[in-house]
Amino acid sequence: MTQPLTDLLSTRPDDYWLCNARLPLACLDAAAPLRTPIAELAAPPRSENWVAAHLHVQGGAIAALAPITSSPDDGLPRYDLGQGLVWPCFADCHTHLDKGHTWLRNPNPKGTFDAALEAAAADHRHWSAADLYPRMSFGLRCSYAHGTQAVRTHLDCLDGQEKISFAVFDQLRQEWADRLTLQAVCLVSMDYYDRPEAEDLADTVAQYGGILGGVIYPQPGLEAQIDRAFALAEARGLDLDFHADESLNPDAEGLRIVAETKLRRRFTGQVNCGHCCSLSVQTTGRAQDTLALLKTAGVSVVSLPMCNLYLQDRQPGRMPRYRGVTLLPELRQFEVAVALASDNCRDAFFAYGDHDMVEVFNQSVRIGQLDRPIGDWPQAVTRTPAQIMGLDVGLIGVGRPADLVIFKARNLSELLSRPQSDRIVIRQGTAIDTTLPDYAELDAVVGIY
């Protein structure tokens, strides 16, 4: 007998069926037995590739995907999704948990990138373990409740801060090990790699199994600094993840230098670059040359549309002329792996956000005009960021963990028209509590009473 989906939250069975679901074709693994999209939805003008299926969940994994033309008759509990969408859980591969939720303590009323740098620097004096832990934990609780299963955070690491921040990160990584996969990237200005302390920083990153990184913008000696970062990573078997060209300066070509350096050094580790805003204001020919180089070098890109749209080209009393978002469709046309991520949440760089990848996807589709057809863009918040992180998650398939997000929405229009606050998150086959933490918990931490 079919039961309402709400019963799944209270009964928490170990062996059951999710019936009448719609799965994103882009998020089915290659071995999935059902790959034919629903014809009336796949045809223009909708151009949405959803696959109709029943899902058998057993022992925390997906035991079977069955066509909806069949009806499970094995006596197991059946929950009717009413054609609701089922996605794999999300991966968020570019966040700043250490900065998160500091807006009220050190705001950025000007809303510019330079003012954000100043406000963030002023906030650093508070960054003890006692300050970092509750704010970073708060961010992770939001991510988990929203349906994220993997998070990569950048950690500011100047002036010895890495010793504190990586230790707090490691504590959280251990505490969340059964629920979230966590990774950390050191974040410094690239001229730090001119200093002898860069060796110690790389050693600390290696000690905690992290990723080496830095902020790339035009400055003297940039090529040598990037090369030094590659050399330190190479010697320790580390991957690299840079903030690159986060400006509207068409002469900023750190992204190109990174790709050229990877090819020249024959670097075999993963190299990822975030932001890459300058591509959006370069000539078509120059941008395409860089995109081809990224493809050849195997450098991936993560775009942060909400934060970049918020900061770039902001001037008092004037509508911004430039969006500051990198070339999303073109990156995919050149077969460059491109992910979407949340970036900053409630800090000087972005006053809003809730570590919610549904919001990230929703806003990115609108900002980047990624729909009609939506194509494989659902991978940009699931499979692709997982691959950037070196993880085999973000897909739905037989034998894979039942880490799923269930929506009442039945198509793209319904999915992107509401905040989906009533979603159900399944982790290892069990529905979790999706109650979000109360902002009041942080009042004492950030000095708000």
Side-chain angles (χ1 to χ4, degrees), residues 302-313:
V302 56
S303 179
L304 303 312
M306 294 193 302
C307 186
N308 288 141
L309 199 68
Y310 178 80
L311 288 174
Q312 300 296 321
D313 199 27

Side-chain angles (χ1 to χ4, degrees), residues 88-400:
C89 281
F90 307 109
D92 193 354
C93 68
H94 185 123
T95 68
H96 291 268
L97 294 174
D98 56 352
K99 293 185 177 76
H101 307 285
T102 56
W103 172 265
L104 294 176
R105 186 167 69 192
N106 270 295
N108 172 15
K110 292 182 179 179
T112 65
F113 184 80
D114 288 343
L117 291 174
E118 294 174 7
D123 201 66
H124 282 170
R125 65 187 178 89
H126 298 286
W127 287 18
S128 64
D131 174 68
L132 288 166
Y133 178 88
R135 292 190 294 102
M136 293 173 68
S137 176
F138 189 95
L140 293 175
R141 289 161 65 195
C142 294
S143 291
Y144 180 69
H146 285 310
T148 292
Q149 63 180 332
V151 176
R152 175 180 285 187
T153 183
H154 295 259
L155 300 174
D156 286 16
C157 287
L158 289 174
D159 303 320
Q161 181 66 45
E162 70 271 12
K163 303 296 184 184
I164 301 171
S165 296
F166 267 93
V168 171
F169 165 80
D170 191 54
Q171 180 182 351
L172 288 165
R173 178 169 55 181
Q174 293 178 48
E175 292 174 0
W176 283 88
D178 60 337
R179 292 161 291 169
L180 289 172
T181 299
L182 303 182
Q183 296 179 353
V185 186
C186 71
L187 189 63
V188 294
S189 57
M190 290 306 296
D191 55 11
Y192 195 86
Y193 288 102
D194 290 331
R195 297 160 56 176
E197 295 92 327
E199 289 274 358
D200 292 336
L201 174 62
D203 288 341
T204 298
V205 172
Q207 174 189 345
Y208 287 102
I211 299 105
L212 209 60
V215 183
I216 296 174
Y217 55 85
Q219 62 180 8
L222 180 60
E223 291 85 352
Q225 293 156 6
I226 292 174
D227 190 75
R228 178 66 169 153
F230 270 86
L232 292 171
E234 232 167 36
R236 292 160 180 79
L238 302 176
D239 290 337
L240 290 160
D241 192 332
F242 298 106
H243 284 53
D245 307 333
E246 190 179 356
S247 74
L248 293 173
N249 177 5
D251 296 324
E253 294 197 301
L255 184 60
R256 172 180 287 267
I257 298 170
V258 168
E260 290 172 343
T261 304
K262 185 176 187 291
L263 288 170
R264 174 172 49 80
R265 296 188 69 96
R266 299 182 181 177
F267 184 77
T268 58
Q270 170 71 38
V271 179
N272 182 64
C273 288
H275 297 287
C276 310
C277 307
S278 297
L279 276 178
S280 69
V281 290
Q282 292 173 354
T283 65
T284 299
R286 187 62 175 174
Q288 288 183 343
D289 285 347
T290 298
L291 295 174
L293 191 60
L294 293 175
K295 169 61 177 174
T296 301
V299 174
S300 57
V301 169
V302 56
S303 179
L304 303 312
M306 294 193 302
C307 186
N308 288 141
L309 199 68
Y310 178 80
L311 288 174
Q312 300 296 321
D313 199 27
R314 182 186 283 261
Q315 298 181 38
R318 197 208 76 172
M319 186 70 183
R321 270 50 165 189
Y322 299 98
R323 302 162 70 85
V325 179
T326 195
L327 304 182
L328 292 168
E330 290 88 342
L331 283 161
R332 291 302 299 120
Q333 289 164 16
F334 276 80
E335 299 181 331
V336 176
V338 57
L340 303 165
S342 63
D343 205 12
N344 300 74
C345 284
R346 300 184 65 239
D347 63 31
F349 289 87
F350 187 56
Y352 314 109
D354 198 34
H355 311 273
D356 182 3
M357 294 304 292
V358 173
E359 181 190 20
V360 170
F361 184 74
N362 186 329
Q363 295 301 327
S364 297
V365 169
R366 299 177 186 189
I367 293 166
Q369 300 176 355
L370 305 180
D371 52 352
R372 303 297 176 262
I374 194 66
D376 62 2
W377 281 110
Q379 291 183 3
V381 293
T382 53
R383 181 58 170 171
T384 301
Q387 289 177 315
I388 289 171
M389 297 176 70
L391 306 174
D392 184 21
V393 297
L395 290 175
I396 295 173
V398 177
R400 290 186 172 273

